[in-house]
Amino acid sequence: MTLRPTAIVLVSAALLLSSGCSILPESEPATLYRLPSSDIRPVTSDSMATRQRLAVAAPQAGHLLSSNRIVVYPEGNVVNVYEAARWQENAPALLQSRLITGLQQSRLFASVGSDSLPSERLLLSELRHFQSDYATHPPTVKVQLDVQLVSTQNRASIATQSFTTSAQAISTDIPDVVDAFGAASDDLTEQLVNWLANQQEANTLD
């Protein structure tokens, strides 16, 4: 018996499905990266820390920055992401964890945690930039975070500030670019700590 062309296609598809084969190319698994960090020097002793508790909300961000993709500006106005590389969680959550750890190390507050915990002060923010940029070679990582400190009692705004940091990678290799993200985030955390310390000295937090 001679099979017609249509029958041959159907039989071939059935054999592929039954054998578990796929005609689609297999994609390589993505490498997951955490955000590198360094310790923040305490700016006050435990006995001098304010009695208030600080909560840090995850930064708001646009669609692309809200994902776990590592964003890159390869040239001009082109926006892209690195292939086969991801953050271990979404970028806002990464930065939230970094800020909480740095503020805990600073000893400015009685306690620092996420906004799911009770607190007297709340740090809200918007992540405006979190990408590597090939305007330089190797690329430079840029981080911009706009923050607002509010009272949790009445949601009144206490102070606002915008922080921008950058760090150039030592090469175009993704692990080196990730290290530059860590350096820029560390710098931003230190700026935030110093800003909050100045607010405290001005009696804004007391």
Side-chain angles (χ1 to χ4, degrees):
M1 179 178 64
T2 303
L3 294 176
R4 289 178 298 174
T6 302
I8 294 174
V9 171
L10 292 175
V11 171
S12 300
L15 290 174
L16 282 171
L17 292 173
S18 63
S19 63
C21 296
S22 173
I23 60 176
L24 298 176
E26 295 184 2
S27 59
E28 296 183 3
T31 300
L32 298 181
Y33 291 93
R34 61 181 181 176
L35 186 63
S37 63
S38 301
D39 291 342
I40 299 297
R41 180 179 56 85
V43 296
T44 186
S45 65
D46 291 334
S47 60
M48 295 296 292
T50 177
R51 294 186 298 275
Q52 292 177 338
R53 298 166 295 180
L54 176 69
V56 180
Q60 299 294 312
H63 174 70
L64 193 57
L65 291 183
S66 293
S67 73
N68 69 338
R69 306 299 296 267
I70 303 178
V71 180
V72 55
Y73 292 0
E75 59 179 346
N77 294 321
V78 178
V79 180
N80 211 327
V81 294
Y82 286 106
E83 293 184 4
R86 303 283 190 279
W87 296 118
Q88 65 177 4
E89 54 186 334
N90 291 346
L94 280 179
L95 193 56
Q96 178 193 29
S97 296
R98 178 68 196 101
L99 297 178
I100 289 174
T101 299
L103 287 165
Q104 288 172 340
Q105 293 171 341
S106 74
R107 301 177 185 172
L108 274 174
F109 296 88
S111 67
V112 182
S114 71
D115 53 342
S116 63
L117 299 176
S119 65
E120 289 73 44
R121 293 292 183 261
L122 173 64
L123 189 71
L124 302 174
S125 62
E126 181 180 2
L127 186 58
R128 302 289 299 278
H129 290 283
F130 197 72
Q131 80 277 341
S132 68
D133 192 332
Y134 275 79
T136 62
H137 190 84
T140 295
V141 166
K142 180 180 180 180
V143 180
Q144 180 181 343
L145 188 72
D146 297 343
V147 304
Q148 181 179 35
L149 185 67
V150 302
S151 168
T152 56
Q153 182 177 5
N154 54 17
R155 289 285 172 164
S157 176
I158 298 172
T160 61
Q161 186 60 275
S162 181
F163 300 99
T164 301
T165 63
S166 62
Q168 188 171 11
I170 62 174
S171 80
T172 59
D173 294 340
I174 293 180
D176 290 333
V177 174
V178 168
D179 285 342
F181 272 99
S185 299
D186 283 347
D187 188 18
L188 184 143
T189 304
E190 289 187 0
Q191 288 187 30
L192 176 63
V193 166
N194 291 332
W195 177 70
L196 288 171
N198 290 336
Q199 300 300 314
Q200 184 172 331
E201 289 178 2
N203 298 319
T204 305
L205 300 179
D206 296 325

Coordinates of all heavy atoms in Angstrom, one line a residue, residues 47-129:
S47 N 23.8 52.0 70.8 CA 23.2 52.8 71.8 C 22.8 54.2 71.3 O 21.9 54.8 71.9 CB 24.2 53.0 73.0 OG 25.4 53.7 72.5
M48 N 23.4 54.7 70.2 CA 23.0 56.0 69.6 C 22.0 55.9 68.5 O 21.5 56.9 68.0 CB 24.3 56.6 69.0 CG 25.3 57.0 70.1 SD 24.7 58.2 71.3 CE 24.6 59.6 70.2
A49 N 21.6 54.7 68.1 CA 20.6 54.5 67.0 C 19.2 55.0 67.5 O 18.9 54.9 68.6 CB 20.5 53.0 66.6
T50 N 18.5 55.5 66.5 CA 17.1 56.0 66.8 C 16.3 54.8 67.3 O 16.6 53.6 66.9 CB 16.5 56.6 65.6 OG1 15.2 57.0 65.9 CG2 16.5 55.7 64.4
R51 N 15.3 55.0 68.1 CA 14.4 54.0 68.5 C 13.4 53.6 67.5 O 12.7 52.6 67.7 CB 13.7 54.4 69.8 CG 14.6 54.6 71.0 CD 13.9 54.9 72.3 NE 13.1 56.1 72.1 CZ 13.6 57.4 72.4 NH1 14.8 57.5 72.7 NH2 12.8 58.5 72.2
Q52 N 13.4 54.3 66.4 CA 12.4 54.0 65.4 C 12.8 52.8 64.5 O 14.0 52.5 64.3 CB 12.2 55.2 64.5 CG 11.5 56.4 65.3 CD 11.3 57.6 64.4 OE1 12.1 57.8 63.4 NE2 10.4 58.5 64.8
R53 N 11.8 52.2 63.9 CA 12.0 51.1 63.0 C 11.7 51.5 61.6 O 10.8 52.3 61.3 CB 11.0 49.9 63.4 CG 11.2 49.3 64.8 CD 10.0 48.5 65.2 NE 8.8 49.3 65.3 CZ 7.6 48.8 65.7 NH1 7.5 47.5 65.9 NH2 6.6 49.6 65.7
L54 N 12.5 51.0 60.7 CA 12.4 51.4 59.3 C 12.0 50.2 58.4 O 12.6 49.1 58.6 CB 13.8 52.0 58.8 CG 13.8 52.3 57.3 CD1 12.9 53.5 57.0 CD2 15.3 52.6 56.8
A55 N 11.0 50.4 57.6 CA 10.7 49.4 56.6 C 11.1 49.9 55.2 O 11.0 51.1 54.9 CB 9.1 49.2 56.7
V56 N 11.6 48.9 54.4 CA 12.0 49.3 53.1 C 11.2 48.5 52.1 O 11.2 47.3 52.0 CB 13.5 48.9 52.9 CG1 14.0 49.2 51.4 CG2 14.4 49.6 53.9
A57 N 10.4 49.2 51.3 CA 9.5 48.6 50.3 C 10.4 48.3 49.0 O 11.4 48.9 48.7 CB 8.4 49.5 49.9
A58 N 10.0 47.3 48.3 CA 10.6 47.0 47.0 C 10.4 48.1 46.1 O 9.3 48.7 46.0 CB 10.1 45.7 46.4
P59 N 11.5 48.6 45.4 CA 11.3 49.7 44.5 C 10.3 49.4 43.4 O 10.2 48.3 42.9 CB 12.7 49.9 43.9 CG 13.6 49.2 44.9 CD 12.8 48.1 45.4
Q60 N 9.6 50.4 43.0 CA 8.7 50.4 41.8 C 9.7 50.5 40.6 O 10.7 51.1 40.6 CB 7.7 51.5 41.8 CG 6.7 51.5 42.9 CD 5.8 50.2 42.9 OE1 5.3 49.9 41.8 NE2 5.7 49.6 44.0
A61 N 9.2 49.9 39.5 CA 10.1 49.9 38.3 C 9.2 49.7 37.0 O 8.1 49.1 37.1 CB 11.2 48.9 38.3
G62 N 9.8 50.1 35.9 CA 9.1 49.8 34.6 C 9.1 48.3 34.3 O 9.7 47.5 35.0
H63 N 8.5 48.0 33.2 CA 8.3 46.6 32.8 C 9.6 45.8 32.7 O 9.7 44.7 33.3 CB 7.5 46.5 31.5 CG 7.4 45.1 30.9 ND1 6.6 44.2 31.5 CD2 8.0 44.5 29.9 CE1 6.7 43.0 30.8 NE2 7.5 43.2 29.8
L64 N 10.6 46.3 32.0 CA 11.8 45.6 31.8 C 12.6 45.5 33.0 O 13.2 44.4 33.4 CB 12.6 46.3 30.7 CG 13.8 45.5 30.1 CD1 13.3 44.1 29.6 CD2 14.5 46.2 29.0
L65 N 12.7 46.6 33.8 CA 13.5 46.5 35.0 C 12.8 45.7 36.1 O 13.4 45.4 37.1 CB 13.7 48.0 35.5 CG 14.7 48.8 34.7 CD1 14.9 50.2 35.3 CD2 16.0 48.1 34.5
S66 N 11.5 45.4 36.0 CA 10.8 44.7 37.0 C 11.1 43.2 36.9 O 10.6 42.4 37.7 CB 9.3 44.9 36.9 OG 9.0 46.2 37.3
S67 N 11.8 42.8 35.8 CA 12.0 41.4 35.6 C 13.4 40.9 36.1 O 14.1 41.7 36.7 CB 12.0 41.1 34.1 OG 13.2 41.6 33.4
N68 N 13.7 39.7 35.9 CA 15.1 39.2 36.3 C 16.1 39.2 35.2 O 17.1 38.7 35.3 CB 15.0 37.8 36.9 CG 14.6 36.7 35.9 OD1 14.1 37.0 34.8 ND2 15.0 35.5 36.2
R69 N 15.7 39.9 34.1 CA 16.6 40.0 32.9 C 17.7 41.1 33.3 O 17.4 42.1 33.9 CB 15.9 40.4 31.7 CG 14.7 39.5 31.3 CD 15.2 38.1 31.0 NE 16.1 38.0 29.9 CZ 15.7 37.7 28.6 NH1 14.4 37.5 28.4 NH2 16.5 37.6 27.6
I70 N 18.9 40.9 32.8 CA 20.0 41.8 33.0 C 20.0 42.8 31.8 O 20.3 42.4 30.7 CB 21.3 41.1 33.2 CG1 21.2 40.1 34.4 CG2 22.4 42.1 33.4 CD1 22.5 39.3 34.6
V71 N 19.6 44.0 32.0 CA 19.4 45.0 30.9 C 20.7 45.6 30.5 O 21.6 45.9 31.3 CB 18.4 46.1 31.4 CG1 18.2 47.1 30.3 CG2 17.1 45.4 31.8
V72 N 20.8 45.8 29.2 CA 22.0 46.3 28.6 C 21.6 47.3 27.5 O 20.7 47.1 26.8 CB 23.0 45.2 28.1 CG1 22.3 44.4 27.1 CG2 24.2 45.9 27.4
Y73 N 22.4 48.4 27.4 CA 22.2 49.4 26.3 C 23.4 49.2 25.4 O 24.5 49.7 25.7 CB 22.2 50.8 26.8 CG 21.0 51.3 27.7 CD1 20.0 50.4 27.9 CD2 21.0 52.5 28.2 CE1 18.9 50.8 28.7 CE2 19.9 53.0 28.9 CZ 18.8 52.1 29.2 OH 17.8 52.5 29.9
P74 N 23.3 48.4 24.3 CA 24.5 48.1 23.5 C 25.0 49.2 22.7 O 26.2 49.4 22.5 CB 23.9 46.9 22.6 CG 22.5 47.1 22.6 CD 22.1 47.7 23.9
E75 N 24.1 50.1 22.2 CA 24.5 51.2 21.4 C 23.3 52.2 21.2 O 22.2 51.8 21.2 CB 25.0 50.8 20.0 CG 24.0 50.0 19.2 CD 24.5 49.6 17.8 OE1 25.6 50.2 17.5 OE2 23.9 48.8 17.2
G76 N 23.6 53.5 21.2 CA 22.6 54.5 20.9 C 21.4 54.3 21.8 O 21.5 54.2 23.0
N77 N 20.2 54.3 21.1 CA 19.0 54.2 21.9 C 18.4 52.7 21.9 O 17.3 52.5 22.2 CB 17.9 55.1 21.2 CG 18.2 56.5 21.3 OD1 18.7 57.0 22.4 ND2 18.0 57.3 20.3
V78 N 19.3 51.8 21.6 CA 18.9 50.4 21.6 C 18.9 49.8 23.0 O 19.8 50.1 23.8 CB 19.8 49.5 20.7 CG1 19.4 48.1 20.8 CG2 19.8 50.0 19.3
V79 N 17.8 49.1 23.4 CA 17.7 48.5 24.7 C 17.7 47.0 24.5 O 16.9 46.5 23.7 CB 16.5 49.0 25.5 CG1 16.4 48.3 26.8 CG2 16.5 50.5 25.6
N80 N 18.5 46.2 25.2 CA 18.5 44.8 25.0 C 18.7 44.1 26.4 O 18.8 44.8 27.4 CB 19.6 44.4 24.1 CG 19.3 43.1 23.3 OD1 18.6 42.3 23.8 ND2 19.7 43.1 22.0
V81 N 18.8 42.8 26.4 CA 19.1 42.0 27.6 C 20.2 41.0 27.3 O 20.3 40.6 26.1 CB 17.9 41.3 28.2 CG1 16.8 42.3 28.7 CG2 17.3 40.4 27.2
Y82 N 21.0 40.6 28.3 CA 22.0 39.6 28.1 C 21.3 38.3 27.9 O 20.4 37.9 28.6 CB 22.9 39.5 29.3 CG 23.9 40.7 29.4 CD1 23.7 41.7 30.3 CD2 25.0 40.8 28.5 CE1 24.6 42.8 30.4 CE2 25.9 41.9 28.6 CZ 25.7 42.8 29.5 OH 26.6 43.9 29.6
E83 N 21.8 37.5 26.9 CA 21.3 36.2 26.7 C 21.9 35.2 27.7 O 23.1 35.3 28.1 CB 21.7 35.7 25.3 CG 21.0 36.5 24.1 CD 21.3 35.9 22.8 OE1 22.0 34.9 22.7 OE2 20.8 36.5 21.8
A84 N 21.1 34.2 28.1 CA 21.6 33.1 28.9 C 22.1 33.6 30.3 O 23.0 33.0 30.9 CB 22.6 32.3 28.2
A85 N 21.6 34.8 30.7 CA 22.0 35.3 32.0 C 20.8 36.0 32.7 O 20.1 36.7 32.0 CB 23.2 36.3 31.9
R86 N 20.6 35.7 34.0 CA 19.5 36.2 34.7 C 19.9 36.6 36.1 O 20.8 36.0 36.7 CB 18.3 35.2 34.8 CG 17.8 34.7 33.5 CD 16.9 35.7 32.8 NE 16.2 35.1 31.6 CZ 16.8 34.9 30.4 NH1 18.0 35.3 30.2 NH2 16.1 34.3 29.5
W87 N 19.2 37.5 36.7 CA 19.3 37.7 38.2 C 18.6 36.6 38.9 O 17.7 36.0 38.3 CB 18.7 39.0 38.6 CG 19.4 40.3 38.1 CD1 18.9 41.2 37.3 CD2 20.8 40.7 38.3 NE1 19.8 42.2 37.0 CE2 21.0 41.9 37.6 CE3 21.8 40.1 39.1 CZ2 22.2 42.5 37.7 CZ3 23.0 40.8 39.1 CH2 23.2 42.0 38.4
Q88 N 19.0 36.3 40.1 CA 18.3 35.2 40.8 C 16.9 35.5 41.2 O 16.1 34.6 41.4 CB 19.1 34.8 42.0 CG 19.1 35.9 43.1 CD 19.8 35.4 44.4 OE1 20.4 34.3 44.4 NE2 19.8 36.2 45.4
E89 N 16.5 36.8 41.2 CA 15.2 37.2 41.4 C 15.0 38.6 40.7 O 16.0 39.1 40.1 CB 14.8 37.3 42.9 CG 15.7 38.2 43.7 CD 15.4 38.1 45.2 OE1 14.2 37.9 45.5 OE2 16.3 38.3 46.0
N90 N 13.8 39.1 40.6 CA 13.6 40.4 39.9 C 14.5 41.5 40.5 O 14.7 41.5 41.7 CB 12.1 40.8 40.0 CG 11.3 39.9 39.2 OD1 11.7 39.1 38.4 ND2 10.0 39.9 39.4
A91 N 14.9 42.4 39.7 CA 15.9 43.4 40.1 C 15.4 44.2 41.2 O 16.2 44.5 42.2 CB 16.2 44.3 38.9
P92 N 14.1 44.7 41.3 CA 13.7 45.4 42.5 C 13.8 44.7 43.8 O 14.2 45.2 44.8 CB 12.2 45.7 42.2 CG 12.1 45.7 40.7 CD 13.1 44.6 40.3
A93 N 13.6 43.4 43.8 CA 13.7 42.6 45.0 C 15.2 42.4 45.4 O 15.6 42.4 46.5 CB 13.1 41.2 44.8
L94 N 16.1 42.3 44.4 CA 17.5 42.3 44.6 C 18.0 43.5 45.3 O 18.7 43.5 46.3 CB 18.3 42.1 43.3 CG 18.4 40.8 42.6 CD1 19.2 40.9 41.3 CD2 19.1 39.8 43.5
L95 N 17.6 44.7 44.8 CA 18.0 45.9 45.4 C 17.4 46.2 46.7 O 18.0 46.7 47.7 CB 17.7 47.1 44.4 CG 18.3 48.4 44.7 CD1 19.9 48.3 44.8 CD2 17.9 49.5 43.7
Q96 N 16.1 45.8 46.9 CA 15.5 45.9 48.2 C 16.3 45.1 49.3 O 16.6 45.6 50.4 CB 14.1 45.3 48.2 CG 13.4 45.4 49.6 CD 12.1 44.6 49.5 OE1 12.0 43.6 48.8 NE2 11.1 45.0 50.4
S97 N 16.7 43.9 49.0 CA 17.5 43.1 49.9 C 18.8 43.8 50.2 O 19.3 43.8 51.4 CB 17.7 41.7 49.4 OG 16.5 41.0 49.2
R98 N 19.5 44.4 49.2 CA 20.7 45.0 49.4 C 20.6 46.2 50.3 O 21.4 46.5 51.2 CB 21.3 45.5 48.0 CG 22.6 46.2 48.1 CD 23.7 45.3 48.6 NE 24.9 46.0 49.1 CZ 25.2 46.2 50.3 NH1 24.4 45.8 51.3 NH2 26.3 46.8 50.7
L99 N 19.5 47.0 50.1 CA 19.3 48.2 50.9 C 19.0 47.8 52.4 O 19.5 48.4 53.3 CB 18.2 49.0 50.4 CG 18.4 49.6 49.0 CD1 17.1 50.4 48.5 CD2 19.6 50.5 48.9
I100 N 18.2 46.8 52.6 CA 17.9 46.3 53.9 C 19.2 45.9 54.7 O 19.4 46.3 55.8 CB 16.9 45.2 53.9 CG1 15.5 45.8 53.5 CG2 16.8 44.5 55.3 CD1 14.4 44.7 53.3
T101 N 20.0 45.1 54.0 CA 21.2 44.6 54.6 C 22.1 45.8 55.0 O 22.7 45.8 56.1 CB 22.0 43.6 53.7 OG1 21.1 42.5 53.4 CG2 23.3 43.2 54.3
G102 N 22.3 46.7 54.0 CA 23.2 47.8 54.3 C 22.7 48.7 55.4 O 23.5 49.2 56.3
L103 N 21.4 49.0 55.5 CA 20.9 49.8 56.5 C 20.9 49.1 57.9 O 21.1 49.7 58.9 CB 19.4 50.2 56.2 CG 19.3 51.2 55.1 CD1 17.9 51.3 54.5 CD2 19.7 52.6 55.6
Q104 N 20.8 47.8 57.9 CA 21.0 47.0 59.1 C 22.4 47.2 59.6 O 22.6 47.4 60.8 CB 20.6 45.5 58.9 CG 19.2 45.2 58.7 CD 18.9 43.8 58.3 OE1 19.8 43.1 57.8 NE2 17.7 43.3 58.6
Q105 N 23.4 47.1 58.7 CA 24.8 47.2 59.1 C 25.1 48.6 59.6 O 26.0 48.8 60.4 CB 25.6 46.8 57.9 CG 25.6 45.4 57.5 CD 26.3 45.1 56.2 OE1 26.5 45.9 55.4 NE2 26.6 43.8 56.0
S106 N 24.4 49.6 59.1 CA 24.6 51.0 59.5 C 24.3 51.3 60.9 O 24.8 52.3 61.5 CB 23.9 52.0 58.5 OG 22.5 52.0 58.9
R107 N 23.3 50.5 61.5 CA 22.9 50.7 62.9 C 22.2 52.0 63.1 O 22.2 52.6 64.2 CB 24.0 50.5 63.8 CG 24.7 49.2 63.8 CD 25.9 49.1 64.7 NE 26.7 47.9 64.6 CZ 27.8 47.7 65.2 NH1 28.4 48.6 66.0 NH2 28.4 46.5 65.0
L108 N 21.6 52.6 62.1 CA 20.9 53.9 62.2 C 19.5 53.7 62.9 O 19.1 54.6 63.6 CB 20.7 54.5 60.8 CG 21.8 55.4 60.3 CD1 21.4 55.8 58.8 CD2 22.0 56.6 61.1
F109 N 18.9 52.5 62.7 CA 17.6 52.3 63.2 C 17.5 51.2 64.2 O 18.4 50.3 64.2 CB 16.6 52.1 62.1 CG 16.5 53.2 61.1 CD1 17.3 53.4 60.1 CD2 15.5 54.2 61.3 CE1 17.2 54.4 59.2 CE2 15.3 55.2 60.5 CZ 16.2 55.4 59.4
A110 N 16.5 51.2 65.0 CA 16.3 50.1 66.0 C 16.2 48.7 65.2 O 16.7 47.7 65.7 CB 15.1 50.3 66.8
S111 N 15.5 48.8 64.1 CA 15.4 47.6 63.2 C 15.2 48.0 61.8 O 14.6 49.1 61.6 CB 14.3 46.6 63.7 OG 13.1 47.2 63.6
V112 N 15.5 47.2 60.8 CA 15.3 47.5 59.4 C 14.8 46.2 58.8 O 15.4 45.1 59.0 CB 16.5 47.9 58.7 CG1 16.2 48.2 57.2 CG2 17.1 49.1 59.3
G113 N 13.7 46.2 58.1 CA 13.1 45.1 57.4 C 12.3 45.4 56.2 O 12.3 46.6 55.8
S114 N 11.5 44.5 55.7 CA 10.7 44.7 54.6 C 9.4 45.4 55.0 O 9.1 45.6 56.2 CB 10.3 43.4 53.9 OG 9.4 42.7 54.7
D115 N 8.6 45.9 54.1 CA 7.4 46.6 54.4 C 6.3 45.7 54.9 O 5.2 46.2 55.2 CB 6.9 47.5 53.3 CG 6.8 46.7 52.0 OD1 7.3 45.6 51.9 OD2 6.1 47.2 51.1
S116 N 6.5 44.4 55.1 CA 5.6 43.6 55.7 C 5.7 43.6 57.2 O 4.8 43.0 57.9 CB 5.7 42.1 55.2 OG 7.0 41.6 55.6
L117 N 6.7 44.2 57.7 CA 6.9 44.3 59.2 C 6.4 45.7 59.7 O 6.5 46.7 59.0 CB 8.4 44.1 59.5 CG 9.0 42.7 59.1 CD1 10.5 42.7 59.3 CD2 8.3 41.6 59.8
P118 N 6.0 45.7 61.0 CA 5.6 47.0 61.6 C 6.8 48.0 61.7 O 7.9 47.6 61.9 CB 5.1 46.6 63.0 CG 5.8 45.3 63.3 CD 5.9 44.6 62.0
S119 N 6.5 49.2 61.5 CA 7.6 50.3 61.5 C 7.0 51.6 61.7 O 5.8 51.8 61.6 CB 8.4 50.2 60.2 OG 7.5 50.6 59.1
E120 N 7.8 52.6 62.1 CA 7.4 54.0 62.2 C 7.8 54.8 60.9 O 7.2 55.8 60.7 CB 8.1 54.6 63.4 CG 7.6 54.2 64.8 CD 8.0 52.8 65.1 OE1 9.2 52.5 64.9 OE2 7.2 52.0 65.6
R121 N 8.8 54.3 60.2 CA 9.2 55.0 59.0 C 9.2 54.0 57.8 O 9.5 52.8 58.0 CB 10.6 55.6 59.2 CG 10.6 56.8 60.2 CD 9.9 58.0 59.7 NE 9.9 59.1 60.6 CZ 9.0 59.4 61.4 NH1 7.9 58.7 61.5 NH2 9.1 60.5 62.2
L122 N 8.9 54.5 56.6 CA 8.8 53.6 55.5 C 9.6 54.3 54.3 O 9.4 55.5 54.1 CB 7.4 53.4 55.0 CG 7.1 52.7 53.7 CD1 7.7 51.2 53.8 CD2 5.6 52.7 53.3
L123 N 10.4 53.5 53.7 CA 11.2 54.0 52.6 C 10.6 53.5 51.3 O 10.7 52.3 51.0 CB 12.7 53.6 52.7 CG 13.7 54.2 51.7 CD1 13.9 55.7 52.0 CD2 15.0 53.5 51.6
L124 N 10.0 54.4 50.5 CA 9.5 54.1 49.2 C 10.5 54.5 48.1 O 11.3 55.4 48.3 CB 8.2 54.8 49.0 CG 7.0 54.5 50.0 CD1 5.8 55.4 49.7 CD2 6.6 53.1 50.0
S125 N 10.5 53.9 47.0 CA 11.4 54.2 45.9 C 11.0 53.8 44.6 O 10.1 53.0 44.4 CB 12.8 53.6 46.2 OG 12.7 52.2 46.2
E126 N 11.6 54.4 43.6 CA 11.4 54.0 42.2 C 12.7 53.8 41.5 O 13.6 54.7 41.6 CB 10.6 55.1 41.4 CG 10.3 54.7 40.0 CD 9.6 55.8 39.2 OE1 9.3 56.8 39.8 OE2 9.3 55.6 38.0
L127 N 12.9 52.6 40.9 CA 14.2 52.3 40.2 C 14.1 52.8 38.8 O 13.3 52.3 38.0 CB 14.4 50.8 40.2 CG 15.7 50.2 39.7 CD1 16.9 50.8 40.5 CD2 15.7 48.7 39.8
R128 N 14.9 53.8 38.5 CA 14.9 54.5 37.2 C 15.9 53.9 36.2 O 15.6 53.8 35.0 CB 15.1 56.0 37.4 CG 14.1 56.7 38.3 CD 12.7 56.8 37.7 NE 12.8 57.5 36.4 CZ 12.8 58.9 36.4 NH1 12.7 59.6 37.5 NH2 12.8 59.5 35.3
H129 N 17.0 53.5 36.7 CA 18.1 52.9 35.9 C 18.7 51.7 36.7 O 19.0 51.8 37.9 CB 19.1 53.9 35.5 CG 18.7 55.0 34.6 ND1 18.5 54.7 33.2 CD2 18.3 56.3 34.8 CE1 18.1 55.9 32.6 NE2 18.0 56.8 33.6

